[in-house]
Amino acid sequence: MKSLEAELETARSLSVATLADSIESIGFDCTRCGACCTGEDDGEHTATVFPDEVRELTGEGGESPESEAQSASESSTDRDWRDVARPMPYGLSEGAGGLEGETFEWALQTDGCGDCSFYEEDDAGVGACTVHADRPLICRTYPFSVALAGTSQPMGEAVDEAGVVRAHECEGLGREIERDEAEELATALKERAIRELEEAIAVRDAYEPADPDPGEVVVHDSEGAKRVDGTPLETGVDRT
C-alpha cells in the first residue's frame, strides 16, 4: 500500500480535465432529492468537515462574496462550533452520560431526525442547503470521490467508476452534465482529495493519546486534540 505522502503526490498530479472527462462519462445532475443530506435508516447523516470549514460556517473564517449575499437571517456569525460540527461517532462508546472516548475528525451537525442541520425542505418537499455558498468540500463534490487511499468515501455505496473517479448512490447519476459544470466539480474533487490527504497526514503526525475521562469525548484533527466545542485540549499531561 502506498504511503499517505505518495497518495498526496498522486492527488496533486491529478488532471482536472481528465477528472471532468470521467464525470461527464458517468453523468450527473442534482435533482435536489435531499438523500445526501438526510440520515439513513441505520444512523445519522455523516459528512466529514475540516476545522477551517467549521470556522467558515461559524463566521470566524471570513465570508465569500456569495455568502455575503445571503440574507441576514442566514448569517453564519450566530453559530458556535457545536452548531456546525459534532465528533465523528466512529470509535466512541455509549457511557452513562452519552458518547465518550476518542475519535478522529468532525462530522456536520445533525438535527433530531439525524439529518444535516443545514438541510431544509420547502412546502413542495424540495430540499435545499441553507449554507450552500459555504458548504464543505464533501458536499460540493457529492456523489463523487477519488479512489485514493486516505481519502474519505461519502455515504452511499460506490455504484460506478471511471478512471479514479467513483460515483456513489444518487438518483442524479446518469444525467447529462455541461462541460463547465463537470470541470467545476472536477476542480473541487481534486481540491478535496488533496485536503483529505493533507488532513490525514497532519492528524497522524499530531496525534497524542488523550486518555479522556468517563463521559468525555476528545476529537483529534489536524490541529491537535479538541473538546466537543472545538477548543484545544492539552494532551500528554495529568489532567486530574
Side-chain angles (χ1 to χ4, degrees):
M1 179 182 294
K2 285 185 178 180
S3 68
L4 291 175
E5 286 80 4
E7 293 287 59
L8 176 57
E9 290 307 308
T10 299
R12 287 172 173 163
S13 67
L14 290 172
S15 163
V16 169
T18 300
L19 293 175
D21 289 343
S22 296
I23 291 170
E24 270 192 310
S25 70
I26 296 171
F28 172 68
D29 184 33
C30 179
T31 65
R32 296 180 65 183
C33 69
C36 60
C37 304
T38 54
E40 299 177 302
D41 293 338
D42 58 350
E44 295 178 299
H45 173 269
T46 304
T48 305
V49 57
F50 301 130
D52 64 310
E53 292 177 322
V54 177
R55 286 190 285 270
E56 184 76 19
L57 288 166
T58 63
E60 295 179 21
E63 294 186 347
S64 65
E66 184 181 355
S67 65
E68 288 176 352
Q70 293 177 346
S71 66
S73 64
E74 296 175 334
S75 173
S76 62
T77 56
D78 293 332
R79 305 187 192 100
D80 65 24
W81 188 281
R82 284 172 290 190
D83 292 325
V84 174
R86 63 188 176 97
M88 193 66 76
Y90 311 122
L92 300 180
S93 59
E94 191 71 37
L99 291 176
E100 59 184 26
E102 295 182 76
T103 188
F104 296 90
E105 301 292 8
W106 302 90
L108 283 173
Q109 188 58 271
T110 53
D111 61 19
C113 297
D115 300 340
C116 177
S117 60
F118 299 115
Y119 175 73
E120 289 185 359
E121 289 185 355
D122 61 21
D123 294 338
V126 177
C129 174
T130 59
V131 291
H132 192 265
D134 294 320
R135 68 197 187 282
L137 280 165
I138 198 166
C139 303
R140 293 177 184 274
T141 53
Y142 193 85
F144 299 103
S145 67
V146 172
L148 294 175
T151 59
S152 65
Q153 302 300 310
M155 60 189 296
E157 295 295 326
V159 295
D160 201 350
E161 187 167 349
V164 297
V165 175
R166 287 178 177 162
H168 299 258
E169 292 177 355
C170 177
E171 70 173 33
L173 290 173
R175 297 168 180 261
E176 185 176 356
I177 183 171
E178 297 293 332
R179 181 66 187 187
D180 59 340
E181 294 177 350
E183 289 177 349
E184 182 178 353
L185 256 173
T187 299
L189 193 57
K190 177 178 179 177
E191 180 185 356
R192 178 183 139 207
I194 293 170
R195 289 290 312 285
E196 287 175 341
L197 284 158
E198 289 175 338
E199 183 82 5
I201 291 169
V203 170
R204 180 200 64 193
D205 293 346
Y207 175 72
E208 292 182 35
D211 191 22
D213 296 328
E216 182 182 31
V217 172
V218 173
V219 181
H220 298 274
D221 63 25
S222 58
E223 299 169 351
K226 292 190 175 84
R227 301 178 179 87
V228 294
D229 62 359
T231 56
L233 177 75
E234 188 175 359
T235 58
V237 298
D238 184 358
R239 295 186 285 122
T240 60

